[in-house]
Amino acid sequence: MNDMELAACARKAMDTAYAPYSKFRVGAALLTASGKVYTGCNVEIASFGATNCAERTAIFKAVSEEGRVKIDKIAIASDDKDYIYPCGICRQVMAEFADDEMELICTKKNGEYKKIRFGDILPNAFRTF
């Protein structure tokens, strides 16, 4: 799957986002080393600590269906005019299932995207393996 196709999957996943409080819908699509694509959206809860980001939703789906996975790349989409990046918690979760060479595809609302090496957005990630 190429980068544009993965970004399109992330944009489609955004359609099911549940964001009644922030109105900030996010979608994510990840490609595992096995070649499977998993998508996720953000799910907001009135008790904000229970909210889950799109990236973590996609990662947890992949793990729940495949077991331990290796993420090759992940795309993130939102309605924002600027590039969207993963939050700190999502970066740490990604570090559990991706190496520093994983490709992160950050998109804008207009469809533009750029690729970033994961190790560049979370250098010296905490890992125990």
Side-chain angles (χ1 to χ4, degrees), residues 9 22 47 52 66 69 74 78 90-91 96 111-112 118-119 124:
C9 288
S22 72
S47 174
N52 203 51
E66 284 191 41
V69 295
I74 187 166
S78 76
C90 287
R91 292 176 194 205
E96 190 75 17
E112 289 179 44
F118 180 66
N124 306 309

Side-chain angles (χ1 to χ4, degrees), residues 67-126:
R68 179 150 184 95
V69 295
K70 179 181 181 296
I71 303 170
D72 282 348
K73 59 175 125 176
I74 187 166
I76 308 166
S78 76
D79 289 324
D80 201 31
K81 64 180 178 13
D82 293 320
Y83 291 109
I84 183 165
Y85 299 92
C87 73
I89 294 170
C90 287
R91 292 176 194 205
Q92 186 59 52
V93 171
M94 287 176 194
E96 190 75 17
F97 302 101
D99 60 26
D100 288 345
E101 300 307 315
M102 180 193 73
E103 294 178 346
L104 181 63
I105 302 162
C106 301
T107 70
K108 289 182 177 183
K109 181 179 181 175
N110 68 5
E112 289 179 44
Y113 71 92
K114 66 179 176 179
K115 291 195 317 189
I116 302 170
R117 184 181 156 274
F118 180 66
D120 292 337
I121 67 161
L122 189 63
N124 306 309
F126 176 76

Side-chain angles (χ1 to χ4, degrees), residues 2-89:
N2 69 38
D3 297 343
M4 294 223 17
E5 291 169 331
L6 196 63
C9 288
R11 182 145 307 279
K12 185 173 181 353
M14 192 176 72
D15 291 342
T16 56
Y18 179 73
Y21 306 102
S22 72
K23 309 290 190 249
F24 190 75
R25 300 176 318 136
V26 181
L30 65 86
L31 177 67
T32 65
S34 71
K36 292 184 181 179
V37 174
Y38 294 92
T39 60
C41 64
N42 58 320
V43 179
E44 293 180 353
I45 306 300
S47 174
F48 293 138
T51 293
N52 203 51
C53 300
E55 301 93 310
R56 285 183 287 140
T57 299
I59 292 167
F60 296 159
K61 281 172 64 177
V63 171
S64 71
E65 292 184 26
E66 284 191 41
R68 179 150 184 95
V69 295
K70 179 181 181 296
I71 303 170
D72 282 348
K73 59 175 125 176
I74 187 166
I76 308 166
S78 76
D79 289 324
D80 201 31
K81 64 180 178 13
D82 293 320
Y83 291 109
I84 183 165
Y85 299 92
C87 73
I89 294 170

